């Protein structure tokens, strides 16, 4: 029997990573190898073939990984998010750009060794957008992939650049070398995620965190001060849909893909509407507003919603969790159960 191929997940111990491990394990196609700065907790280890604790900037470690495993798919999730990145922009650049470059280089050398394109799945973000004024944000409404691309955070700049880097590796890497036309290159695929909300974990270091934070605080009967204005609006997505998007992208036939990075949408709401949803489920929730001007400005620069018609057309993307289902069938019951014990 042939050995199952390996999928590598970087940042495996993060919010998306943990859910993705479970989904890939259920799917059964791959043996899962993980890499994260912190060791993977006991609960997820049995689902993996091998787990590594280490830094994506450690090229020796990446070489070792590539030498030991025939990696056919890379989910490169490791990143420093937008708030954390503004506190240390150079570190964000190192991790988000140099780290991604190292992973792309590794995937390309595996591509040559295996003589078929390694799939490189990359979560980009609504942070890749940057809209100068609220008037323009209103005008854009549901933004298209090619609009409003002047990100104001280091994280956003890094994500947008990493999308370009991925496109470059896929189409043009070492274009001047002999036989460049014939050389096999990696297969880069990316989605721009909205703010993600998981029932299992509370995010850290992001700027869309006010949504999940107020929800998790309410379930624990803790007061919460929201750092953006009530009218601040961005798109959000429930974690199961984020995983669905990554798996959908993995399975999409290459010839159908027309963009290096796709919008994926689910629902969009203001912070005030978020509070209303939370209070409907947890009537005693104590939520106030204490605006942090800098973080609020970041959220204001992100689109109010995304146009995901390209993903719908090219790889049949559609979210399972609209706003009602996300809150009523996933978030509220799961978060309630989580804090009940
Ligand atoms: N959720 C991320 C952040 O807030 C955006 O990708 O940084």
């Amino acid at each position: 029997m042939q050995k199952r191929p390996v999928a590598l997940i970087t940042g495996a111990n993060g919010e998306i990573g943990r859910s993705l491990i479970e989904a890939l394990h259920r799917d059964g196609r791959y043996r899962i190898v993980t890499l994260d700065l912190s060791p993977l907790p006991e609960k997820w280890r049995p689902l993996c073939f091998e787990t590594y604790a280490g830094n994506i900037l450690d090229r020796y470690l990446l070489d070792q990984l590539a030498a030991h495993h025939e990696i056919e798919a890379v989910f490169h999730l490791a990143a420093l998010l937008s708030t954390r990145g503004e506190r240390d922009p150079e570190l964000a650049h190192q991790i988000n750009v140099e780290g991604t470059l190292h992973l792309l280089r590794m995937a390309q050398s595996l591509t040559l060794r295996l003589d078929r394109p390694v799939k490189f799945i990359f979560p980009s973000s609504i942070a890749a957008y940057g809209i100068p004024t609220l008037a323009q944000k209103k005008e854009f409404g549901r933004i298209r992939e090619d609009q409003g691309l002047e990100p104001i955070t280091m994280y956003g700049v890094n994500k947008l650049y990493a999308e370009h880097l991925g496109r470059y590796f896929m189409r043009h890497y070492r274009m001047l070398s002999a036989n460049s036309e014939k050389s096999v290159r990696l297969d880069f695929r990316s989605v721009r995620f909205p703010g993600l909300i998981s029932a299992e974990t509370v995010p850290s270091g992001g700027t869309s965190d006010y949504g999940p934070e107020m929800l998790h605080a309410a379930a624990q009967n803790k007061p919460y001060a929201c750092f953006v204005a009530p009218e601040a609006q961005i798109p959000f997505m429930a974690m199961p849909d984020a995983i669905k998007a990554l798996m959908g992208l993995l399975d999409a036939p290459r010839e159908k893909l027309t963009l290096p990075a796709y919008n994926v949408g689910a629902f969009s709401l203001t912070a005030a509407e978020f509070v209303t949803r939370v209070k409907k489920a947890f009537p005693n929730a104590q939520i106030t507003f204490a605006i942090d001007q800098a973080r609020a400005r970041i959220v204001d620069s992100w689109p109010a919603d995304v146009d995901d018609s390209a993903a719908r057309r090219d790889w049949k993307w559609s979210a399972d969790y609209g706003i009602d289902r996300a809150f009523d069938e996933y978030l509220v019951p799961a978060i309630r159960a989580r804090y009940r014990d």
Side-chain angles (χ1 to χ4, degrees):
M1 200 178 92
Q2 249 203 326
K3 275 198 295 188
R4 279 177 304 153
V6 168
L8 170 68
I9 307 176
T10 71
N13 206 9
E15 282 207 288
I16 304 176
R18 291 177 178 195
S19 297
L20 182 63
I21 291 174
E22 290 169 7
L24 275 179
H25 182 261
R26 269 197 308 276
D27 177 85
R29 236 179 301 175
Y30 294 99
R31 289 178 296 162
I32 303 166
V33 172
T34 67
L35 173 60
D36 199 291
L37 267 183
S38 54
L40 202 64
E42 208 40 60
K43 179 176 169 197
W44 286 274
R45 285 194 197 187
L47 310 184
C48 302
F49 176 65
E50 191 119 39
T51 65
Y52 292 84
N55 195 322
I56 54 165
L57 297 173
D58 180 349
R59 289 178 63 174
Y60 177 72
L61 175 60
L62 294 188
D63 286 347
Q64 259 191 321
L65 269 168
H68 282 103
H69 306 287
E70 293 209 337
I71 299 164
E72 290 198 1
V74 176
F75 292 85
H76 176 40
L77 313 180
L80 223 66
L81 297 190
S82 56
T83 290
R84 184 74 218 293
E86 284 321 290
R87 304 219 157 103
D88 197 341
E90 272 183 42
L91 180 66
H93 190 277
Q94 273 177 357
I95 293 175
N96 299 345
V97 173
E98 286 172 41
T100 302
L101 180 66
H102 289 340
L103 262 306
L104 283 165
R105 200 193 283 117
M106 183 191 97
Q108 179 56 29
S109 69
L110 278 158
T111 293
L112 292 176
R113 198 171 93 209
L114 302 173
D115 199 27
R116 54 180 183 274
V118 167
K119 285 182 183 171
F120 195 100
I121 314 286
F122 181 69
S124 187
S125 162
I126 48 162
Y129 296 105
I131 307 168
T133 65
L134 285 174
Q136 280 169 283
K137 174 162 171 161
K138 197 160 175 209
E139 240 169 70
F140 275 128
R142 303 179 68 219
I143 210 159
R144 274 200 330 258
E145 283 87 350
D146 58 351
Q147 297 175 312
L149 294 171
E150 284 180 46
I152 67 166
T153 62
M154 179 55 107
Y155 171 77
V157 169
N158 296 163
K159 284 291 187 192
L160 186 57
Y161 175 67
E163 290 177 10
H164 284 293
L165 210 49
R167 178 180 56 77
Y168 164 76
F169 264 81
M170 177 167 67
R171 300 263 179 248
H172 310 291
Y173 183 64
R174 290 194 183 277
M175 65 178 100
L176 296 185
S177 58
N179 290 327
S180 154
E181 288 312 306
K182 281 186 226 131
S183 66
V184 45
R185 296 195 175 94
L186 58 77
D187 179 355
F188 180 82
R189 303 163 176 221
S190 174
V191 277
R192 290 185 187 151
F193 278 134
L196 299 181
I197 323 174
S198 167
E200 310 302 326
T201 43
V202 189
S204 67
T207 317
S208 59
D209 295 5
Y210 61 91
E213 277 173 0
M214 72 169 84
L215 189 54
H216 282 263
Q220 295 169 86
N221 244 319
K222 289 184 186 161
Y224 183 73
C226 178
F227 58 80
V228 300
E231 55 280 3
Q233 183 171 357
I234 54 168
F236 282 97
M237 176 179 281
M239 191 56 78
D241 271 335
I243 301 303
K244 181 183 181 191
L246 292 176
M247 297 299 285
L249 199 59
L250 174 76
D251 287 337
R254 176 70 253 172
E255 66 280 6
K256 297 276 186 207
L257 300 178
T258 57
L259 296 178
Y262 286 90
N263 282 339
V264 281
F267 53 89
S268 164
L269 76 177
T270 64
E273 288 162 345
F274 214 116
V275 174
T276 306
R277 290 274 165 179
V278 171
K279 284 197 167 158
K280 196 176 131 208
F282 304 100
N284 297 329
Q286 304 159 59
I287 304 168
T288 51
F289 286 87
I291 298 169
D292 173 331
Q293 293 300 342
R295 293 182 90 189
R297 200 171 138 242
I298 293 176
V299 169
D300 284 346
S301 79
W302 291 349
D305 205 353
V306 291
D307 177 344
D308 62 1
S309 49
R312 289 171 179 276
R313 177 197 65 214
D314 287 358
W315 46 282
K316 308 284 171 265
W317 155 255
S318 73
D320 288 336
Y321 292 87
I323 192 161
D324 289 329
R325 250 199 106 195
F327 279 86
D328 301 344
E329 292 181 34
Y330 167 63
L331 292 168
V332 172
I335 289 178
R336 241 194 215 122
R338 178 169 191 262
Y339 296 112
R340 194 178 290 136
D341 320 320

